Amino acid sequence: MPINTLASFQKSRLSKAITLACIALVATPITVQAATSCGTAGTTTITAAETDQCSLVAGESLVVSETWSITTPIISPFNHAVSINSLTVGSITNNGSLIVGGDKTGIRIENNSTTGSIINNGVITADDGIDISGVSTVLGDISNTGTITSTYGIDINDDTRITGGISNAGTITSDSSAIRIGDNVTIGGSVSNSGTITVGFDKGIEISGASTTISGGITNSGTITADDAGIYVDNSTVSGGITNSGTITGSTGIYITNVSTIGGGISNTGTITANQGIYINGNPPNNSSVSGGITNAGTIISVSTGIALLDVSVVGSVTNSGTIIGYNGIDIFRDTTTISGGLINSGAIISSNNAISFTIDNAVIGFPSKPGHPAISRGQE
């Protein structure tokens, strides 16, 4: 056989061999085992580098030790780093790392499951950091003092009950909302951020479920940077009020909409930088309501309006003793807005249009501000 023909024949055989090997690899089922340390009642402590999902069994608690990890590959049939499905288990603490391939979750609890407290002191990198749904219950708190990098940081939905609160004292970096609470969720404590929240395309803290109730309040003493609202409440009840003593940067600082009920008032003693500082928009004939008044003793820097109230019932006063800078300082819209305690300004409102304005039946009553001087409020005329 000529040399050139022989070389061509050998290349052809090699090519066919590689092709057959690839076909055999694809055709061979890939068996992936769950994390070998998990699956025993009692307290399981991860002290090794696990390479697939940890599926807890009834009565099991989990601690992932510092420097150790659970890592799930993209090809895994499980994907979640920690999974609880239709079970009652103990507490879950991550001091190490939960690294999830694909589009799954760091800690996933679903389908009528019950757990103890969920604590992340380590690192979670996943599509969702902590995801709880399906009429599940957490007997205790959900807290993050570590780092979560995800699409949603902490995502609570579907008739879930948390007997304690939800807190972030660490760092959450997410594409969508960092803390999201959906339909028919009950939170026994507060939702709080004293750490750092950075959101690419959505809200910092989002409460957007019909019939969702937070028995405590929503507090921010840390930093929230969001593309949308820093704190957002839609069709929900927050019994303990909303307080910002930290920094919020977003399209809206605090946004309350539809038929929401806020007890304990809304207070800003920190800094809000946004298009709208505090924006409350009801849905007549059922307005949003705020009991305890609305107070700014900090700084609101807005492109549009510092405080805007549309179709809202405020039990208490609207008070500014701090600084509001914006096109309009305080806007009161529509016949259905009521403020039982009046409008009080003892601080500074610096605006390029109106310091305080009332829009009723398309008639606007404006009080132009003087830069560097306190504006005149209704109660001071």
Side-chain angles (χ1 to χ4, degrees), residues 272-309:
I272 297 174
T273 304
N275 184 54
Q276 305 270 8
I278 298 172
Y279 185 84
I280 307 177
N281 183 10
N283 186 12
N286 300 307
N287 288 1
S288 286
S289 64
V290 178
S291 298
I294 300 169
T295 302
N296 175 53
T299 301
I300 298 176
I301 303 170
S302 64
V303 175
S304 180
T305 303
I307 299 174
L309 306 179

Side-chain angles (χ1 to χ4, degrees), residues 5 15 17 38 56 102 114 123 125 203 258-260 280 287 292 299 343:
T5 304
S15 176
C38 302
L56 271 63
T114 300
V123 174
T125 302
K203 304 166 183 69
N258 285 318
V259 188
S260 293
I280 307 177
N287 288 1
T299 301
L343 187 59

Side-chain angles (χ1 to χ4, degrees), residues 14-97:
L14 178 60
S15 176
K16 288 179 180 178
I18 292 171
T19 301
L20 290 172
C22 291
I23 292 171
L25 179 61
V26 171
T28 302
I30 298 173
T31 302
V32 183
Q33 300 297 324
T36 55
S37 299
C38 302
T40 304
T43 299
T44 296
T45 302
I46 301 293
T47 56
E50 299 287 358
T51 57
D52 218 299
Q53 174 175 286
C54 174
S55 297
L56 271 63
V57 299
E60 185 176 6
S61 295
L62 177 67
V63 177
V64 180
S65 296
E66 189 176 353
T67 75
W68 297 106
S69 64
I70 300 174
T71 303
T72 67
I74 294 175
I75 61 172
S76 168
F78 301 108
N79 280 126
H80 308 303
V82 179
S83 177
I84 298 94
N85 192 334
S86 303
L87 292 171
T88 297
V89 301
S91 61
I92 301 168
T93 302
N94 175 44
N95 298 318
S97 298

Side-chain angles (χ1 to χ4, degrees), residues 311-328:
D311 302 314
V312 183
S313 298
V314 179
V315 179
S317 62
V318 175
T319 302
N320 175 53
S321 60
T323 300
I324 298 175
I325 302 171
Y327 179 73
N328 289 313

